[in-house]
């Protein structure tokens, strides 16, 4: 029987290095689909919705760019609104689809949705393709059971593995199904209209490849390790994460670019460190796959839960840059206004929430999930567990000295002035028993 394929695009919004499209070339027909899930926009766990405006704006740009790329092949990107586990079985029935292509994703919710699709369409052939990660299950240098419990041993083994070559750009794609007639799809009322974001990132594969070429056309890779801890500035890090995490750029494309740069311009500690950081991203993907929903548990992998709780007022002040800590306030203002924060800034504010404010780390992780333009479930929640001392870290958490961090990374208060971090107010207006604090007690 000829394959009638449906490609469910998710975090793989690109044409280059796309194994799913290569496989789809053997099909008699191809239906390309992206599904906007209403659950992204509804407050759920920890009082936050998953999708904030910054990432939603970025995704809109990614979809527009992908749609233009598909049109070159006589294809189109069909955007549906609803639950994937309901929409995909209906599409399979309507268009006699017998083959589903999708990128393998490690998120617990994403895997649950795919299982529901499997259950609803038992005769459907499903190809889950490892193309969001550097490795696939065959090239990973250990089984899931043997995945190291911390990053360093993973890195030492992973650095020895040779990666497969990137996939060629498709020469052609199959036509849409013969019976295909896109119904009139109106934008549901539950979809928020994206507002122009102040983010410096523009979505789409075209912008991703442009940035890839620009970054590796100069000296920035040779100085990455020297500047990666700076709080501000376009050149202080590689800035690939938003495109990597929506799949506009594959990690193998980035690794290939690093290797080509080293061959042409020479390698040093900084160029190697770009790959080290890419392997951190990789480790968190497989770590999440191994531990599953424990990634979201309060005590994570620890024997005992952290000595923190939920202080509504403290959490709110942290979110809106109104703590007694100017550097933290500046970081939180930048995050809220742009959807981005340097890695050093993320560590500082996470440590503050957990250690200075004694707030349950999961509320901070959920706020980051809502705000970040470069959000990834495994990276975000894995890093928060790391700071809270309940994840992949044998040393038991991270507590940053805020005065020392300020003197190291913003000694002249340039960053704090830029993002309005100087304004501070008392941490609590009530005590731990919810009893009002008198004005003279808060001084």
């Amino acid at each position: 029987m000829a394959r009638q394929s449906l490609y469910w695009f998710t975090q793989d919004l690109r044409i280059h290095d796309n194994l799913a499209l290569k496989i789809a070339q053997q099909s008699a027909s191809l239906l390309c689909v992206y599904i906007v899930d209403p659950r992204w926009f509804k407050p759920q766990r920890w009082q936050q919705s998953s999708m904030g405006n910054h990432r939603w704006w970025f995704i809109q740009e990614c979809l527009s760019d992908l749609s233009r790329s598909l049109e070159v092949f006589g294809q189109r990107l069909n955007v549906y609104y609803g639950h994937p586990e309901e929409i995909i079985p209906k599409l399979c029935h309507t268009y006699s689809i017998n083959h589903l292509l999708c990128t393998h994703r490690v998120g617990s919710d994403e895997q649950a949705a795919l299982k529901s699709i499997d259950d609803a369409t038992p005769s459907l052939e499903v190809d889950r393709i490892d193309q969001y990660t550097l490795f696939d299950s065959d090239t990973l240098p250990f089984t899931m059971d043997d995945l190291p419990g911390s990053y360093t041993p993973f890195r030492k083994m992973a650095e020895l593995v040779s990666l497969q070559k990137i996939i060629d750009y498709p020469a052609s794609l199959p036509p849409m199904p013969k019976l295909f007639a896109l119904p009139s799809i109106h934008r549901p009322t539950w979809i928020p209209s994206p507002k122009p974001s102040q983010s410096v990132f523009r979505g789409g594969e075209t912008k991703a490849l442009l940035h890839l070429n620009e970054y590796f056309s100069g000296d920035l890779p040779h100085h990455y390790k020297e500047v990666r801890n700076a709080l501000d500035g376009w050149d202080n890090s590689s800035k690939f994460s938003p495109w990597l995490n929506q799949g506009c750029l594959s990690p193998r494309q980035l690794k290939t670019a690093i290797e080509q740069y080293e061959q042409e311009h020479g390698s040093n500690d900084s160029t190697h460190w770009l790959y080290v950081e890419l392997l951190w991203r990789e480790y968190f993907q497989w770590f999440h796959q191994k531990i599953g929903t424990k990634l979201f548990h309060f005590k994570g992998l620890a024997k005992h839960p952290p000595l923190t709780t939920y202080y509504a007022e403290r959490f709110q002040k942290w979110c809106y840059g109104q703590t007694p800590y100017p550097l933290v306030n500046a970081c939180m203002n930048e995050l809220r206004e742009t959807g981005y924060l340097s890695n050093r800034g993320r560590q500082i504010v996470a440590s503050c929430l957990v250690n200075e404010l004694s707030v349950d780390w999961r509320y901070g992780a959920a706020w980051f999930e809502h705000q970040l333009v470069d959000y990834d479930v495994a990276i975000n929640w894995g890093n928060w567990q790391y700071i809270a001392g309940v994840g992949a870290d044998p040393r038991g958490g991270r507590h940053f000295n805020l005065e020392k961090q300020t003197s190291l990374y913003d000694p002249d208060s340039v960053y704090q002035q830029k993002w309005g971090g100087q304004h501070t107010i008392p941490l609590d207006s009530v005590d731990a028993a919810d009893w009002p604090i008198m004005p003279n007690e808060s001084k």
Side-chain angles (χ1 to χ4, degrees):
M1 180 185 296
R3 274 183 169 178
Q4 312 296 329
S5 297
L6 185 155
Y7 182 5
W8 176 22
F9 279 93
T10 52
Q11 288 168 284
D12 46 10
L13 305 181
R14 65 180 184 273
I15 302 296
H16 293 79
D17 195 32
N18 191 319
L19 181 57
L21 287 179
K22 184 177 180 65
I23 295 173
Q25 287 179 306
Q26 308 304 315
S27 303
S29 68
L30 176 64
L31 180 61
C32 296
V33 169
Y34 185 88
I35 301 174
V36 179
D37 194 324
R39 290 168 292 203
W40 296 349
F41 306 97
K42 295 179 180 178
Q44 297 185 59
R45 310 177 184 103
W46 305 287
Q47 305 175 10
Q48 289 296 332
S49 63
S50 174
M51 185 75 70
N53 182 71
H54 297 297
R55 190 161 77 258
W56 181 226
W57 180 265
F58 186 83
I59 288 175
Q60 297 288 295
E61 295 180 328
C62 294
L63 297 179
S64 295
D65 187 74
L66 177 60
S67 182
R68 289 190 293 269
S69 296
L70 289 171
E71 287 172 3
V72 174
F73 299 94
Q75 267 288 347
R76 65 190 295 177
L77 181 64
N78 304 286
V79 179
Y80 290 88
Y81 303 91
H83 297 167
E85 62 269 28
E86 297 173 359
I87 289 175
I88 289 180
K90 290 180 181 178
L91 291 173
C92 291
H93 174 74
T94 301
Y95 300 109
S96 301
I97 301 294
N98 55 25
H99 180 225
L100 174 65
L101 290 153
C102 60
T103 292
H104 175 67
R105 295 183 294 164
V106 300
S108 304
D109 292 341
E110 291 81 1
Q111 294 210 22
L114 192 56
K115 184 179 185 306
S116 296
I117 293 169
D118 280 337
D119 293 342
T121 55
S123 62
L124 183 68
E125 178 188 359
V126 180
D127 271 334
R128 302 170 180 84
I129 300 163
D130 287 322
Q131 58 179 7
Y132 184 71
T133 50
L134 278 166
F135 307 114
D136 56 34
S137 53
D138 294 328
T139 57
L140 197 67
F142 23 67
T143 66
M144 278 294 95
D145 290 339
D146 295 328
L147 182 77
S150 59
Y151 170 67
T152 300
F154 169 87
R155 168 192 158 190
K156 290 179 178 178
M157 296 179 70
E159 284 180 314
L160 302 176
V161 177
S162 298
L163 299 177
Q164 296 178 355
K165 294 182 178 180
I166 60 177
I167 303 297
D168 293 335
Y169 188 81
S172 62
L173 291 176
M176 291 178 284
K178 291 181 180 179
L179 298 177
F180 181 76
L182 182 66
S184 176
I185 300 177
H186 300 287
R187 189 185 188 90
T189 56
W190 49 260
I191 291 281
S193 297
K195 302 173 183 177
S197 170
Q198 294 186 42
S199 171
V200 295
F201 298 99
R202 300 273 68 89
E205 181 181 25
T206 301
K207 295 295 185 183
L209 294 177
L210 178 63
H211 179 60
L212 187 72
N213 291 331
E214 289 179 345
Y215 185 79
F216 287 101
S217 65
D219 293 333
L220 291 177
H222 275 148
H223 301 285
Y224 170 75
K225 194 174 182 182
E226 302 165 20
V227 299
R228 67 188 181 94
N229 279 316
L231 291 173
D232 203 14
W234 180 256
D235 294 340
N236 72 314
S237 66
S238 64
K239 299 293 192 299
F240 289 111
S241 56
W243 294 294
L244 281 171
N245 295 345
Q246 288 302 326
C248 303
L249 184 73
S250 78
R252 288 191 305 182
Q253 285 175 286
L254 179 53
K255 171 57 174 169
T256 300
I258 295 171
E259 292 175 341
Q260 290 176 345
Y261 184 88
E262 289 180 328
Q263 291 172 5
E264 296 173 7
H265 304 282
S267 62
N268 66 3
D269 207 23
S270 284
T271 59
H272 176 65
W273 211 256
L274 282 166
Y275 187 47
V276 168
E277 297 291 1
L278 191 59
L279 286 177
W280 254 118
R281 177 187 187 275
E282 186 76 7
Y283 177 67
F284 278 130
Q285 305 304 318
W286 299 105
F287 177 73
H288 182 17
Q289 179 155 320
K290 179 179 181 178
I291 71 171
T293 57
K294 287 184 179 180
L295 188 70
F296 312 104
H297 292 184
F298 182 41
K299 71 174 185 177
L301 302 181
K303 293 181 179 180
H304 305 286
L307 298 176
T308 56
T309 187
Y310 176 63
Y311 295 99
E313 182 182 15
R314 291 184 179 187
F315 177 64
Q316 187 81 347
K317 287 179 177 177
W318 177 81
C319 290
Y320 289 92
Q322 297 176 348
T323 75
Y325 311 106
L327 184 60
V328 172
N329 295 344
C331 289
M332 295 307 294
N333 289 339
E334 181 186 7
L335 172 64
R336 197 176 60 257
E337 293 178 27
T338 70
Y340 186 79
L341 190 59
S342 67
N343 182 62
R344 174 60 51 173
R346 297 182 200 200
Q347 292 179 318
I348 289 170
V349 300
S351 174
C352 176
L353 185 73
V354 171
N355 297 298
E356 268 67 45
L357 307 188
S358 300
V359 172
D360 182 339
W361 65 270
R362 296 171 300 172
Y363 286 88
W367 181 252
F368 269 30
E369 178 174 342
H370 178 79
Q371 293 290 345
L372 286 172
V373 69
D374 63 348
Y375 170 75
D376 169 272
V377 58
I379 300 169
N380 180 65
W381 289 82
N383 270 315
W384 271 92
Q385 280 196 340
Y386 185 80
I387 293 292
V390 297
D393 183 8
R395 289 174 287 182
R398 291 291 184 273
H399 188 175
F400 289 84
N401 182 308
L402 295 179
E403 290 186 4
K404 181 179 180 180
Q405 295 296 307
T406 302
S407 64
L408 285 174
Y409 300 111
D410 194 31
D412 300 322
S413 299
V414 174
Y415 179 79
Q416 295 167 69
Q417 291 172 10
K418 178 177 179 179
W419 294 106
Q422 295 83 4
H423 175 69
T424 62
I425 59 177
L427 182 57
D428 297 310
S429 59
V430 295
D431 63 17
D434 205 29
W435 189 261
I437 296 176
M438 300 302 291
N440 62 339
E441 294 179 327
S442 63
K443 296 181 180 179

